[in-house]
């Protein structure tokens, strides 16, 4: 059923009487014009990624963060396992669990969760940067460089990542003459 028909059935005003949203500008800048603007956009993206329609999942995420902050990684994992089971479509639960696994040096499980994040949100610059960190830790500099470059393509103002790309580029591809 079209959305306007559903709204009319639900007692809402007919679609033609509702206020029309403004059109998006025809041309948007490809990247934020400066680092301050980029950080603001990044914060809004993280806020969107953290949103969930489930109050239970939201509460479990808050508790998982508190457990991580308290260095209780086993508790955080159990809470995040519950979120992933409850809301397998919730990208940030997978990403947060990947982070916990990474902090425990459990790269196998971390990579599995990063894969789930990137299947659901290929532009997740946090997961891409995490993938780069794991690949670098494993000594696969070429794949680390690729992951870091993908993360920067989405968010060119990530902290420390431009320096990592520079270092790894010289290591993997050599220096320009």
């Amino acid at each position: 059923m079209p959305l306007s028909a559903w709204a009319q059935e639900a007692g809402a005003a007919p679609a033609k009487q509702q206020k029309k949203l403004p059109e998006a500008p025809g041309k948007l800048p490809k990247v934020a014009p400066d680092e301050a603007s980029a950080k603001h956009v990044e914060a809004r993206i993280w806020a969107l990624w953290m949103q969930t329609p489930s109050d239970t999942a939201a509460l479990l995420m808050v508790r998982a963060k508190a457990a991580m902050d308290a260095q209780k990684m086993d508790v955080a994992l159990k809470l995040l396992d519950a979120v992933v089971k409850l809301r397998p479509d919730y990208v940030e639960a997978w990403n947060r669990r990947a982070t916990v696994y990474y902090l425990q040096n459990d790269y196998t499980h971390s990579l599995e969760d990063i894969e789930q994040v990137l299947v659901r949100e290929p532009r997740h610059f946090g997961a891409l940067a995490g993938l780069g960190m794991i690949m670098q830790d494993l000594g696969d500099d070429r794949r680390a460089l690729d992951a870091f470059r993908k993360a920067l393509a989405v968010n060119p103002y990530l902290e420390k990542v431009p320096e990592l790309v520079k270092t790894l580029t010289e290591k993997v591809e050599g220096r320009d003459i």
Side-chain angles (χ1 to χ4, degrees):
M1 163 182 310
L3 184 58
S4 60
W6 178 83
Q8 288 174 354
E9 280 187 17
K16 62 184 173 196
Q17 292 177 353
Q18 291 180 0
K19 184 176 179 183
K20 185 177 179 190
L21 294 175
E23 293 293 321
K27 188 171 184 178
L28 293 173
K30 195 164 186 138
V31 296
D34 56 57
E35 189 170 355
S37 297
K39 291 298 174 192
H40 176 71
V41 171
E42 181 180 331
R44 291 189 63 195
I45 290 169
W46 281 110
L48 286 171
W49 283 341
M50 286 300 298
Q51 287 180 350
T52 174
S54 167
D55 291 341
T56 303
L59 178 62
L60 291 171
M61 289 293 285
V62 168
R63 290 187 177 167
K65 183 181 182 328
M68 289 173 69
D69 291 345
Q71 300 296 312
K72 296 179 178 179
M73 298 303 174
D74 291 339
V75 173
L77 272 180
K78 287 179 182 175
L79 292 164
L80 293 166
D81 287 345
V83 178
V84 166
K85 187 174 183 179
L86 176 69
R87 300 295 304 202
D89 57 329
Y90 184 32
V91 174
E92 202 48 38
W94 292 98
N95 186 57
R96 188 69 54 89
R97 193 170 73 173
T99 301
V100 173
Y101 283 134
Y102 173 79
L103 293 171
Q104 294 182 320
N105 296 316
D106 184 348
Y107 296 153
T108 300
H109 285 107
S110 185
L111 288 169
E112 289 171 358
D113 282 2
I114 288 171
E115 181 180 9
Q116 292 299 316
V117 172
L118 295 175
V119 162
R120 291 165 173 79
E121 178 49 78
R123 300 165 299 178
H124 198 296
F125 49 84
L128 289 165
L131 175 60
M133 291 168 42
I134 292 171
M135 290 297 107
Q136 191 174 23
D137 287 355
L138 294 175
D140 191 339
D141 292 335
R142 185 169 302 280
R143 287 179 64 194
L145 178 59
D146 181 55
F148 287 139
R149 283 179 172 162
K150 286 178 181 175
L152 283 180
V154 178
N155 183 351
Y157 293 99
L158 286 172
E159 289 182 33
K160 300 179 185 175
V161 177
E163 296 85 20
L164 291 168
V165 167
K166 183 179 183 225
T167 302
L168 286 171
T169 298
E170 290 176 2
K171 191 173 179 182
V172 171
E173 298 172 356
R175 293 184 179 171
D176 288 337
I177 296 179

